[in-house]
Amino acid sequence: MTLPAPEVPKETQFDLLSRYRSVRAETEQLATPLSAEDMQIQSMADASPTKWHLAHTTWFYETFILRELNPQYRVFDPRYHEIFNSYYHSLGQPFSRPLRGLLSRPSIDEIYAYRAYVDRAISTVLQGGGEERRLNNLVLLGLNHEQQHQELLLTDIKHALSINPLLPAYINNADAGSGENGQKVEALEWIAVNGGIFNIGASAGGDQANEGDNFCFDNETPSHPLLVQDFRIASRLVTNGEFLEFIEDGGYRQHRLWLSDGWSWVNTHSVQHPHYWRRVDGSWQQFTLCGLQPLAYAEPVCHLNFYEADAFATWAGFRLPTEFEWEVAACQLCTPDDLAAANLLEKRHWHPAASHQQRQLLGDVWEWTSSAYQPYPGFRASGDAVGEYNGKFMCNQKVLRGGSCVTPSSHIRSSYRNFFYPHQFWQFTGIRLAGDAL
Amino acid sequence: MTLPAPEVPKETQFDLLSRYRSVRAETEQLATPLSAEDMQIQSMADASPTKWHLAHTTWFYETFILRELNPQYRVFDPRYHEIFNSYYHSLGQPFSRPLRGLLSRPSIDEIYAYRAYVDRAISTVLQGGGEERRLNNLVLLGLNHEQQHQELLLTDIKHALSINPLLPAYINNADAGSGENGQKVEALEWIAVNGGIFNIGASAGGDQANEGDNFCFDNETPSHPLLVQDFRIASRLVTNGEFLEFIEDGGYRQHRLWLSDGWSWVNTHSVQHPHYWRRVDGSWQQFTLCGLQPLAYAEPVCHLNFYEADAFATWAGFRLPTEFEWEVAACQLCTPDDLAAANLLEKRHWHPAASHQQRQLLGDVWEWTSSAYQPYPGFRASGDAVGEYNGKFMCNQKVLRGGSCVTPSSHIRSSYRNFFYPHQFWQFTGIRLAGDAL
Amino acid sequence: MTLPAPEVPKETQFDLLSRYRSVRAETEQLATPLSAEDMQIQSMADASPTKWHLAHTTWFYETFILRELNPQYRVFDPRYHEIFNSYYHSLGQPFSRPLRGLLSRPSIDEIYAYRAYVDRAISTVLQGGGEERRLNNLVLLGLNHEQQHQELLLTDIKHALSINPLLPAYINNADAGSGENGQKVEALEWIAVNGGIFNIGASAGGDQANEGDNFCFDNETPSHPLLVQDFRIASRLVTNGEFLEFIEDGGYRQHRLWLSDGWSWVNTHSVQHPHYWRRVDGSWQQFTLCGLQPLAYAEPVCHLNFYEADAFATWAGFRLPTEFEWEVAACQLCTPDDLAAANLLEKRHWHPAASHQQRQLLGDVWEWTSSAYQPYPGFRASGDAVGEYNGKFMCNQKVLRGGSCVTPSSHIRSSYRNFFYPHQFWQFTGIRLAGDAL
Amino acid sequence: MTLPAPEVPKETQFDLLSRYRSVRAETEQLATPLSAEDMQIQSMADASPTKWHLAHTTWFYETFILRELNPQYRVFDPRYHEIFNSYYHSLGQPFSRPLRGLLSRPSIDEIYAYRAYVDRAISTVLQGGGEERRLNNLVLLGLNHEQQHQELLLTDIKHALSINPLLPAYINNADAGSGENGQKVEALEWIAVNGGIFNIGASAGGDQANEGDNFCFDNETPSHPLLVQDFRIASRLVTNGEFLEFIEDGGYRQHRLWLSDGWSWVNTHSVQHPHYWRRVDGSWQQFTLCGLQPLAYAEPVCHLNFYEADAFATWAGFRLPTEFEWEVAACQLCTPDDLAAANLLEKRHWHPAASHQQRQLLGDVWEWTSSAYQPYPGFRASGDAVGEYNGKFMCNQKVLRGGSCVTPSSHIRSSYRNFFYPHQFWQFTGIRLAGDAL
């Protein structure tokens, strides 16, 4: 089975409607390989059912745009307000997150009808046209929100399918097993970056969304100067083969390599290898969106949590980059060609690929940084419900940078900050090494 | 929507095949009101998805009959062995019970194909005929097993649908709301029963299944004499209206009424009323298989756990019967007319009905007894995997008697022992009072 | 160190005061080997600190006798009422049980002052004399209550000391290590007991305490006839050596031997041997009140929970006795000589002893029966606070019979019912096998 | 009762021995108000018994100095190595932290003998003299370690005593209740601080300890330049009275004020006020080391966790300072007079005091900063066991600055970084507000 890549519209500055249609169609296309039963299941509190992603992204437009801006708008079903609210407490008590998988009703057909209903209403509003800056910004936010859920839809269903002893594939991909273990790995080189005072973050003001292509989330702002010291950064990602050396060297059994909380995590869960790895008949396999596949040594290691990434870096004698070092390096090193070549959602490759003389700063895997997720100096979340989007999560989490093989390409920019708790591993997360200047 | 009652075949002594077809068809008919998504969900570890019930009952015939008795038999899918094994450790490690709701594959269509495949094989074997006593006994056991799962299918889906804020009905029933609160309640009378030495249990030997209609489970054997003292037993079940008096008298707040473990349960879960009751706009409603309905005061209270039943009896100044008192009373009081009139699965009434001069010993609700579920003197579980059916559960549970409104009528007999943990409430469980002789 | 045995007073029928003084002195003597720090610690919610036992037994007299019967009585400290109430909800919310070990105040000196204060008041009341039947009964209940806590004091401190890597002994006993492994074990013989109708329980009425020596707890009443079938019972307890055979035969790894809840317990806790056993340098040791000692194969196995006792009996091809079989056997087989020879608290032996042609029905270890702890027919708990003593625990527990090596001898009688949850092991609990008649 | 302040020796550069004696004596003096039973108790896994602090600080010298530097040294008791190891996995598996309160042996007398034994050995070594830089550095580290435990000893016993319904005081202090509620509160003023590039951290190299008075922990190094923007900082701490306004304004019920993890914490624990506050007969009381006292409105609020501090700042329309802003402000604003006037351990005041025209940057309460506890650029933990001291905790915690009323004064310096998890409240932790430049 092959999913066609989304048709990216040739967009004039305000052709939001085409972009809206494109994003909405992409989400539905990502769900096509799944049965109604697949779309129902939720394998942990952190994840959501496919059905729920399809409905919640729709609820977002209905709640923040249609109900806000159009007094005549009639909601599709008032009972959806509670069950498809994720975490916006300003809007009432959301339905219990760990129980989303029990919502067999509304059915998937009703959810598609909900999507169509909201799509018609948004189309009408957008075609009404005019210079509605606030409308445009909210639609743009809705689209970026939906694209984040496209990635989550894939990581969540991957986790859910992995629980099933039948190990079903999300999609079959002729390419998936191509990574033979003899594949040559690029030598890792160290790129020296000079320190100095750099502008970090995106230039938007307090408003979360900009016009046209310059959208950014509020957590990327305000842009501000930062003093960075000289540093080195690795020319490519850490590979499965390299991580296997760590395991074979007893990496999971040497307390010295681990942060204290990481060592507790290893011992509480008796962790011995990355989550999706399996030892089958003496050789390593890896569960992927294309089912169980032989572990390709040359490909980037992924689905590590922060503790594993940090322990590997310690073992290797290096460290993880700060999010600021990463941003400085990306600004200096990435060219439009890098973006064009990056292994992102539109490539339909479904898992990280081996480096072929590419630096992989963009795509393949989200790169753990050593930086805690904190507000930039001068950051203020907006006071309305949309203000709950990012700010309230700025505690206890770590920043990741660069995007993964299931990130939509329009989400790739050097200032983008993704964030997860240190123990979480179910995203496509990997390692880039850094070091102090020699 | 109306589900037709099952066609009960006019059965000759060995017409097992008709009976097999009838039971199998009934299970599938019970699933017809449900979508693929409904059949997928599992709302707690004690319950299973509808899909899983459909498959597991099939696995039972495949495993204990087809694989055992027919060396040529080819299993439908060898991977089903792990995922549809419930708790037979002799057959390998069963798939984790709380995760059954995550098995989106095999699909419901594949499970129906599995059922058809096994049905053909069983039909062939049964038509092969002969005097295969062991075969017949195992098929009879399989049918009784499947009928138990018919009841579980309904109680499990009731629980799962109750989690959904939309409160969907399993089935719409014109009758459901008929219980108006002004309905007259029969006066409760006390029936005196003389003590003596009685034969308790069923007369089968060590073998779990008897020929023809005389099937019983091994836990009903051996039949044995027991000394019972004079006692009294109530002429009908406790009603919703009577339980409401208990609540209004502060029953859930008076520690003196409760067993120590029951009082912990009340406080840990802040229990204030039976699980499916809801206070809506100042009046009591009850979630039923037909959706949310006004609470009918004259109908038997149900979905209580043992602690609630025991506390009510203490509050009322009486006690629960022992399972032996219940059996003695049922033997003396029940006539074939009682069975014919009883509110059982075939009546398609879907919830307990008010007493109309009936004693309701059979049907409506399972009646909690004060007896711990323990082996009868001389009980021995069989040594093979089938021996895991009952014996290993004879600890920490309580016996219930009499059958409920979703119990198949062929499961009704005075020696039948149902059993659940004291804290469990999701079956149709209620209260019959008893007392010492005056 | 040796603790002298308690001086048992030559008692006239109403010489309650001497008995009171004797019991009170014995409790304090049992605490003498312990430091203030030892007396402070609580190693699990089921256990209590020594200090707390010393105070709570005193609180019992103050609350149920002095405050009830003497309006002039001034309590020692009103704040003690909450912290030394165990579980009498009628008297207010007791202090949280798992936190008892945090009550560093009152100090042990203050608690001894509290004991002396209450002792003086009770002496005065008792010397007041007269025919105060209710007073006498309550004092008798208080004494029996305190004696139960003498046993708990020892089992609780044993558990607490066992957590300490230094493995300190409660007391040093020259005898403790005498059990050499070559010691000869009596052959186990089967004693046939004829069935029939027997009177079970003690003859007291509804009142918990009788005059003089005929005290019994309310849970032993009412006495009632019971039909018991022929059975066989083992001539001695199961030994450590026999239990070791069970282990070496893979007993803890064979699911077939275990009740379903027992098998969960084994796997959840990865149990591989009895709790106090330790494998040290290739040989088995056992933690005792006299510290770590070599495991004596001929001595009775102890500190098993019900699941272990039941699994062993299944492995051996037998079963546990019912509590009624045990009582019938004890009535028929035990003589005053058995009581005189029994290994009980007054022997100061501190652990079970090998059988020397003795049946060990009395003393050494509490014997798990297969019977659930349920009320006898016609049982009614008294309506006042004392009524919370036994009745509310009659659910989810199992009956044990016979007394242990740390049970006071006046607690030994054939109708005495001890009870614990099936998973609990910290009492001196062991196994006597039974079987159906041949 | 009054504890004399420690005698601070007039110290020549290398008079380490006097300082050693002084620190050791101070620890023992802090334990004098406590009974053996008080010293035994541990009220949560985060805290340790007083006894354990007394022993563990001793173990530190024995392990890292005596055993390392003196081959002839005989350990006091080899069995102490496991039980008094806190978290140095390089030295073997430490005894389970939550069970420290169960170690009734060794007794407190044995622990004092242990202290004396080690003191003699350290004295001998120090008197041996010479230019032992490594020895001196390790002793200095040991002293700083012991001083940290002096503070913990007090915060831990405060928590333990607070569980007891008797609410015993650690010490009686005539001063404790002096804070009358009418006391005038200083007006809060805003101090503007100009941004720029500042040197952050202490100047020591990789070595944890410096000579003489210049000791610092490794986590304060390396010193490095940092770009800080203009900011404002409050002239004093937030008071109890101000925090009460937050409560009365519904602060604990407004989700908008809270970080997402903080809101979960509030709801999971139903938090309504700071942990040690109690509502007694309509007025607020606070549990202190001097027992229950009326809440003094003018005194700094303390024992808040990070979530509470952050929510208060949001409610007030401000924010917490970063640790860097705090350090810059402290360097610019604090004079030797501030240190002399600060409310620190030596003052024996035992709780935070109202500001009297003082800025309270030093002493009174640890001030939560918004900064995650992370390594400074170029930080490397040392490779030996001592290297486990700080580095492995640099994840999931927040930095606090400034010291509290129970911090030894020699621990006060502008570069000192304390760190705790965001949910922890049992230290003397409070709030200083900050804001962006106007």
Side-chain angles (χ1 to χ4, degrees), chain A residues 309-380:
Chain A
D310 182 81
F312 178 89
T314 301
W315 173 80
F318 299 99
R319 59 174 175 82
L320 301 176
T322 67
E323 65 163 320
F324 312 109
E325 288 170 340
W326 190 95
E327 186 167 331
V328 167
C331 286
Q332 295 187 6
L333 302 173
C334 291
T335 65
D337 286 354
D338 284 301
L339 182 54
N343 178 17
L344 295 161
L345 176 58
E346 292 80 0
K347 288 286 195 311
R348 303 301 198 227
H349 190 71
W350 310 116
H351 63 101
S355 158
H356 295 291
Q357 261 125 358
Q358 280 158 1
R359 294 195 178 111
Q360 301 174 294
L361 279 157
L362 311 180
D364 286 303
V365 296
W366 285 101
E367 306 179 15
W368 284 109
T369 74
S370 65
S371 299
Y373 180 47
Q374 304 213 131
Y376 284 169
F379 171 80
R380 283 281 180 285

Side-chain angles (χ1 to χ4, degrees), chain D residues 17-94:
Chain D
L17 183 53
S18 309
R19 186 190 280 207
Y20 177 86
R21 286 176 178 154
S22 165
V23 168
R24 297 287 285 170
E26 168 73 345
T27 305
E28 296 181 12
Q29 196 177 65
L30 293 176
T32 51
L34 300 171
S35 69
E37 296 149 280
D38 293 335
M39 291 196 244
Q40 183 62 45
I41 61 180
Q42 175 185 33
S43 51
M44 61 173 171
D46 289 336
S48 297
T50 303
K51 265 174 76 168
W52 193 90
H53 286 299
L54 289 166
H56 164 70
T57 48
T58 306
W59 170 93
F60 193 93
Y61 303 104
E62 185 175 67
T63 302
F64 294 112
I65 298 174
L66 297 173
R67 292 177 56 171
E68 283 297 308
L69 304 184
N70 181 358
Q72 269 78 49
Y73 177 74
R74 272 193 66 181
V75 297
F76 182 75
D77 188 325
R79 303 172 308 167
Y80 288 12
H81 189 60
E82 172 192 356
I83 61 183
F84 297 128
N85 178 3
S86 50
Y87 53 64
Y88 296 86
H89 292 282
S90 317
L91 304 171
Q93 181 72 26

Side-chain angles (χ1 to χ4, degrees), chain C residues 36-38 40-43 51 79 82-83 95 99 101-108 163-166 168-169, chain D residues 36-38 40-43 51 79 82-83 95 99 101-108 163-166 168-169:
Chain C
E37 296 148 281
D38 293 333
Q40 183 62 45
I41 60 179
Q42 175 184 33
S43 51
K51 264 174 78 168
R79 303 173 308 169
E82 172 192 356
I83 61 183
F95 182 67
L99 304 183
L102 299 181
L103 299 170
S104 61
R105 324 271 177 101
S107 70
I108 185 64
I163 306 294
N164 193 325
L166 308 184
Chain D
E37 296 149 280
D38 293 335
Q40 183 62 45
I41 61 180
Q42 175 185 33
S43 51
K51 265 174 76 168
R79 303 172 308 167
E82 172 192 356
I83 61 183
F95 181 67
L99 304 182
L102 300 181
L103 298 170
S104 62
R105 323 270 179 99
S107 69
I108 184 64
I163 307 293
N164 193 324
L166 309 184

Side-chain angles (χ1 to χ4, degrees), chain A residues 58-67 73 75-76 114 118:
Chain A
T58 305
W59 169 93
F60 193 94
Y61 302 104
E62 184 175 66
T63 301
F64 293 113
I65 300 174
L66 297 173
R67 291 176 56 169
Y73 178 74
V75 297
F76 182 75
Y114 179 37
V118 165

